[in-house]
Amino acid sequence: QVQLVESGGGLVKPGGSLRLSCAVSGFILSDYYMTWIRQAPGKGLEWVAHISGRDSNTHYADSVKGRFTISRDNAKNSLYLQMNSLRAEDTAFYYCAREGDYGGYPSWGQGTQVTVSS
Amino acid sequence: DIQMTQSPSSLSASVGDRVTITCRASQSIGSSLNWYHQKPGKAPKLLIYDSSTLQNGVPSTFIGTGSGTDFTLTITSLHPEDFAIYYCQQSYSAPRTFGPGTRLETK
């Protein structure tokens, strides 16, 4: 069955960097759009970035553009989010999700916590 | 970017009640609208995609309607497990924005 498992979260100082990983199984990574979505404490869902399946086209939310990079390694069945120049407002629970064939995100990981604080 | 709004922001209801949540997009998105609910400490769960199609395993008490800019999610008879936060999300274009959420609480 489809599984997504995030890792790499933690505590980092403002201005620091962190790399999140999402290990996937049960499907072919390159066949799907993959997305990072985050949720700040007590807040709603914020779409962060996605990468297309076939040609690795990427798109970012304005709030992270120029600081975050989404990438994928099909051979390792893994999705990544490189986060640089982190700010306090990046503190959130980060989920990876697979986009469905007809829209929406039917498959999510369990999430990983990122805390940006001095 | 397409902005999504939801109303109400919160709603109190009882088991067996019929409730409706509204979602509006800042521009036409056709039928590219999805609904989720989220319970504390859990990842969101997709309920409806493409405005009105039930995700596998979601009960038929959930009904999605709408197209263009205005959409609704109706729960025809609330069950105890339906109390959660509900989000709409557009998949018409990137960034694939979410609505701010509607908290459905027990009365």
Side-chain angles (χ1 to χ4, degrees):
Chain A
Q1 72 277 24
V2 173
Q3 279 197 309
L4 300 89
V5 179
E6 301 93 337
S7 60
L11 174 64
V12 61
K13 289 181 167 51
S17 297
L18 212 53
R19 188 197 197 203
L20 305 184
S21 299
C22 174
V24 310
S25 58
F27 65 98
I28 298 171
L29 187 59
S30 58
D31 282 350
Y32 292 90
Y33 272 81
M34 295 296 297
T35 302
W36 288 97
I37 294 160
R38 69 184 181 182
Q39 188 167 35
K43 302 296 184 184
L45 301 168
E46 181 185 12
W47 188 96
V48 173
H50 77 191
I51 184 167
S52 64
R54 297 185 183 278
D55 49 14
S56 294
N57 278 339
T58 59
H59 198 103
Y60 298 90
D62 287 345
S63 58
V64 307
K65 202 173 293 182
R67 300 187 298 122
F68 289 12
T69 302
I70 187 171
S71 62
R72 156 183 104 214
D73 185 331
N74 295 332
K76 293 185 177 179
N77 291 317
S78 291
L79 175 73
Y80 304 103
L81 186 67
Q82 177 67 44
M83 304 186 295
N84 298 332
S85 303
L86 282 161
R87 306 166 180 167
E89 53 265 36
D90 296 317
T91 294
F93 213 63
Y94 284 73
Y95 296 98
C96 65
R98 190 193 85 174
E99 190 162 299
D101 292 331
Y102 304 103
Y105 301 109
S107 305
W108 297 66
Q110 85 288 352
T112 187
Q113 176 69 43
V114 172
T115 302
V116 184
S117 174
S118 54
Chain B
D1 297 358
I2 298 173
Q3 309 303 316
M4 307 300 294
T5 57
Q6 286 181 237
S7 62
S9 57
S10 64
L11 181 56
S12 294
S14 301
V15 171
D17 283 355
R18 178 186 182 98
V19 298
T20 297
I21 299 168
T22 298
C23 177
R24 177 165 288 173
S26 60
Q27 65 186 72
S28 178
I29 59 172
S31 62
S32 300
L33 192 282
N34 313 300
W35 290 97
Y36 304 81
H37 72 192
Q38 185 181 30
K39 298 180 183 179
K42 300 290 189 182
K45 176 184 176 182
L46 179 65
L47 303 170
I48 288 172
Y49 61 91
D50 201 31
S51 178
S52 61
T53 304
L54 278 181
Q55 177 66 4
N56 288 343
V58 174
S60 59
T61 51
F62 290 88
I63 299 172
T65 61
S67 65
T69 60
D70 294 317
F71 301 86
T72 60
L73 173 69
T74 299
I75 309 172
T76 58
S77 179
L78 279 171
H79 293 138
E81 60 270 25
D82 296 336
F83 294 95
I85 299 176
Y86 286 78
Y87 296 96
C88 62
Q89 177 248 335
Q90 63 84 14
S91 49
Y92 182 80
S93 66
R96 303 212 200 290
T97 38
F98 288 88
T102 294
R103 183 179 296 272
L104 176 55
E105 299 173 316
T106 184
K107 190 180 288 185

